Amino acid sequence: MRTFRTVLEQRIWERRLTLEEFVEEAELYAREHREPGTLGLRHLQRLVAGRRSADEPLGQVKASTARLLENMFGSTVEVLLSPPMEGSSGGSSVGISAHPGLAGAFEWLDGAAGWLSGSSAAKVSAGLKLADVGVLQGQRALRGRISRRQIADAVRRYYRVNDTFGVRGLGLDVETSVFTRSEWGGLGLPLDADNERLTLVQGDAAAPVLSAGCAEAAVQRLVMAAALDVRFANLPLYRLAEIDVSARGIGGAVDVGSFVEYALTMDLLEAELTDAVVSGSRALNPLRDKYLPDMDAVLDVAGRVCAGGVLSLVAIARPADPFRGAADYALIVQTRSDQVVNAAGKLAVIPKGFHQPLTDPRADVRIGATLRRELEEELFGRGDVDVTAGASRVASPMHPGRWSAPMRWLEDEAGRMRTECTGFGLNLVSGNYEFATLVVIEDEGFWPLFGGQLEANWEASGLTLYSSLDGELITDLVKKEAWSNEGLFALLQGLRRLREVGSSRVKLPSFEVSGL
């Protein structure tokens, strides 16, 4: 059983490199990414040992060398030079056979990287045997401590933009990573056939070809997903090909791609960015340089993998209550669980889901279809519409005959529930398109009947209710740094619209929107 002195030594061994070969790789990496750091063989020998040759403490590592190692491995130099946690030399007990959802990822990655069939599975299996779950949990915890503002500031610096979505008001000065335009914001578009004109087109995208560095990052993503029990499934996903959003309606086109392609390319950018913030490095990010290098690439949605999300602020009318007070709306906020692919541990509105088809790709393209499915799954207890649980044998999962009791009650009478698109934007973190929406349950009879049955699924670790009459608490909520950028974007767009339509049930903070 091999014993490693430092995490750095373990990580080099995982790459199947000798120290001499790693020095050459580091030199090539520094040259390609314009990093000033250097790394000689004798220096590396001391670093992997964690001690000087005379068994003296290693001392402080030169800043440029630390940045070089941190950018190559996506971990802080303190983590890299620390001893692996006890039990890491024996490997992780987690095997890829326990994660059948990764099978589609292995097949896709072998093809995109130009590897022989089975290579990805072998690499991930080897990585899992050596993975120190404690180190990976620590890395995830470090990422989770990075605030929403730090992420927003980092991408704004990278793209040299100042006009991302934000708000200013009494006690408020908030900016997000979401790029938007004046015609994309301040909407109150009912999600119906008159306003939803997105169409499905047959995509003709070229087969992806990954560089060695991108393929290695994808392998590490799969190792972490398996070791930390992140849910991962190769599912169809809508990709944006064209967009036209304004007060006139939602137009444009999408094609169908795969979740795996997104997860192993564009979705890697968030972790890379967060690790750069953790390390304090402002060096160029190699994956971002490859996949989303400038604002032209951000706006060229047809020329890249542009996956999307639908997020909703849900406002449920409640009758007056002797303990709570006057009639109001209950606003629901979730804390994301550690099992989700992105925004783990962050605050978000609920529901929050990918824009993707169930069984009818052309009909499911409507934003309202995704929103209703996510309501059923994330709040109304419909586990059979959870696409991560495996393939469904149901021909029409959202057929009215299968609706939950809350959804059936809402749809039984016109006017009980109103769904609107409140805004649209492109998230500079990973290039995602974000549809901010608002669900208003106007009939206060819903709360006595079903309020006690609302329960989040596995994607949330907890829910918090806020009253639409409590402007002080909601102002504090908006200022929390634990928000995901896209979640805060949807919250703010929803609050803005609710102030316009909520009448006496609402005493929300007023704010001025920026970045439109």
Side-chain angles (χ1 to χ4, degrees), residues 4 7 10 31 49 79 142 148 165 185 242 260 286 344 402 471 477 497 513-514:
F4 300 101
V7 172
Q10 177 182 346
R31 188 164 58 248
V79 169
L142 280 174
R148 176 206 49 75
F165 180 84
E242 181 185 341
V260 159
R402 301 185 66 86
L477 173 67
R497 177 61 176 161
V513 173
S514 60

Side-chain angles (χ1 to χ4, degrees), residues 257-275:
S258 74
F259 174 79
V260 159
E261 181 178 12
Y262 161 74
L264 299 185
T265 55
M266 302 301 292
D267 198 46
L268 299 177
L269 302 185
E270 181 176 2
E272 179 187 64
L273 179 73
T274 307
D275 290 341

Side-chain angles (χ1 to χ4, degrees), residues 191-376:
L191 291 172
D192 56 28
D194 291 337
N195 290 302
E196 289 207 62
R197 298 186 292 275
L198 273 178
T199 59
L200 180 68
V201 296
Q202 293 296 107
D204 192 23
V209 178
L210 300 187
S211 67
C214 293
E216 171 66 19
V219 168
Q220 293 304 315
R221 172 63 180 278
L222 294 176
V223 170
M224 178 171 274
L228 299 184
D229 199 26
V230 174
R231 287 209 187 187
F232 203 101
N234 189 16
L235 300 163
L237 211 65
Y238 288 123
R239 300 184 307 189
L240 197 60
E242 181 185 341
I243 190 64
D244 178 18
V245 175
S246 70
R248 297 184 303 274
I250 301 169
V254 297
D255 63 3
V256 178
S258 74
F259 174 79
V260 159
E261 181 178 12
Y262 161 74
L264 299 185
T265 55
M266 302 301 292
D267 198 46
L268 299 177
L269 302 185
E270 181 176 2
E272 179 187 64
L273 179 73
T274 307
D275 290 341
V277 174
V278 167
S279 68
S281 171
R282 294 194 180 186
L284 295 178
N285 300 293
L287 297 176
R288 188 169 297 275
D289 295 344
K290 170 74 173 175
Y291 293 127
L292 205 65
D294 50 38
M295 285 303 296
D296 286 341
V298 171
L299 296 171
D300 182 19
V301 296
R304 61 179 178 86
V305 177
C306 185
V310 177
L311 309 95
S312 188
L313 175 63
V314 172
I316 305 174
R318 298 187 294 189
D321 181 270
F323 298 100
R324 190 183 61 250
D328 67 353
Y329 291 109
L331 310 180
I332 309 177
V333 172
Q334 66 166 313
T335 301
R336 303 277 284 168
S337 81
D338 287 336
Q339 287 188 288
V340 296
V341 170
N342 50 32
K346 298 295 185 181
L347 294 176
V349 292
I350 187 169
K352 166 181 164 60
F354 281 108
H355 185 210
Q356 61 190 152
L358 278 177
T359 57
D360 189 341
R362 198 168 297 279
D364 290 342
V365 76
R366 287 181 54 177
I367 302 305
T370 293
L371 180 53
R372 278 170 163 75
R373 182 197 75 218
E374 292 295 320
L375 281 170
E376 286 280 70

Side-chain angles (χ1 to χ4, degrees), residues 57-81:
L58 190 59
Q60 188 170 1
V61 179
K62 191 175 179 181
S64 58
T65 303
R67 275 198 310 272
L68 175 62
L69 291 172
E70 287 171 342
N71 288 333
M72 290 183 72
F73 288 105
S75 298
T76 66
V77 72
E78 290 78 13
V79 169
L80 291 171
L81 299 184

